[in-house]
Amino acid sequence: MFDSLKKKLAGALRPEQRVMDVGPVFDNFGLYLKVGSHLKVRSNNALIFGSNCMPPKEEVIQTIGVFDMSHSKVYRFWLSQEYFVQVILTNMKEIEEVRGYRLLKVVLPSTTKEWEAWLLSKSLANSRGTDPGFIGRDEFVHYDTPYYRLESWAGPDEDWVKPIEFTETQYSIVEGIVKSSRYINHAAMAYGRWLNEEQEIPEYLLVSAEDLNINGVQSSSIRIYVGMDLAIADLQNNY
């Protein structure tokens, strides 16, 4: 349903990648991270500043997701089904971003109209005299709290931009072997707000339409993640 809708609205997402049997290893900045590695997030900012992005009790990497965005390599270290640490490296292997994200909400659109509320392009919306989809607008309101589109994802001058599309390959242990077990097609946009502007403590929302493929079985949803910045020093890794 999601694939066919995307073709109608904005073109199909990128095709799946070929299955590989080699798991990724992150070996940078004193960290050695792979599936099964110990990783503890040592940050109290979520508690201090009142964010829902609390680090998990789990301290073992269950799954690693990898994908490319522009000139950067993105790693997602999933400590549970609801929390991941995202590290983005430039092509020079310099740190561009370290953030923790926690799943905040899952929406399951069931009709074309419900999907269009999230993904309708601006050109189609203009032709119909209606509003474009939520994902890509310059402002996203969650429970009466406004978040504003990050300029690192899109320029500030457009009231709507096409969501960023990418395919995340996830690696986990299957039958005792680390392998690429599933692929997630994303159409996403990132937003933010100040939790404490004076101390420059932001909170982020990552809003993503996700098309998940597990062994040929597809499921689609809208997922909203809340995130906070981390430092490499916040990540404790005992290999």
Side-chain angles (χ1 to χ4, degrees), residues 23-189:
V25 174
F26 181 91
D27 188 6
N28 295 281
F29 311 105
L31 298 173
Y32 184 82
L33 304 176
K34 59 184 179 62
V35 175
S37 291
H38 176 275
L39 179 62
K40 182 177 182 178
V41 179
R42 301 182 303 175
S43 173
N44 294 321
N45 278 351
L47 179 62
I48 294 171
F49 294 100
S51 173
N52 288 317
C53 188
M54 295 292 294
K57 295 180 179 179
E58 293 86 353
E59 298 179 3
V60 175
I61 298 173
Q62 305 295 322
T63 299
I64 294 180
V66 294
F67 56 94
D68 295 321
M69 284 188 67
S70 185
H71 301 294
S72 303
K73 188 79 171 182
V74 183
Y75 295 84
R76 288 180 171 177
F77 304 103
W78 291 84
L79 297 176
S80 70
Q81 292 184 350
E82 296 186 346
Y83 187 95
F84 64 88
V85 175
Q86 178 166 284
V87 180
I88 302 180
L89 297 181
T90 68
N91 56 7
M92 301 298 291
K93 293 192 175 181
E94 297 174 341
I95 295 176
E96 183 175 330
E97 172 187 302
V98 182
R99 286 181 190 151
Y101 281 98
R102 177 172 287 280
L103 181 62
L104 192 61
K105 185 177 182 180
V106 178
V107 181
L108 300 173
S110 59
T111 65
T112 297
K113 184 176 181 179
E114 289 175 355
W115 277 108
E116 287 182 344
W118 292 90
L119 294 169
L120 187 67
S121 69
K122 185 175 181 179
S123 59
L124 282 176
N126 288 341
S127 69
R128 299 178 184 179
T130 187
D131 295 323
F134 298 128
I135 303 178
R137 293 184 187 179
D138 56 356
E139 178 181 294
F140 186 89
V141 179
H142 182 70
Y143 290 124
D144 298 324
T145 299
Y147 292 76
Y148 302 97
R149 192 177 61 213
L150 300 186
E151 292 185 15
S152 59
W153 281 59
D157 298 330
E158 295 288 337
D159 58 2
W160 185 92
V161 295
K162 183 179 178 181
I164 304 299
E165 299 179 357
F166 55 91
T167 298
E168 177 183 355
T169 302
Q170 292 194 341
Y171 296 80
S172 55
I173 297 177
V174 180
E175 298 179 351
I177 301 173
V178 176
K179 59 172 60 178
S180 51
S181 58
R182 61 185 188 175
Y183 308 90
I184 305 176
N185 289 330
H186 296 259
M189 190 56 61

Side-chain angles (χ1 to χ4, degrees), residues 213-224:
N213 186 308
I214 304 179
N215 298 323
V217 178
Q218 289 186 307
S219 61
S220 303
S221 62
I222 304 294
R223 291 179 179 258
I224 301 174

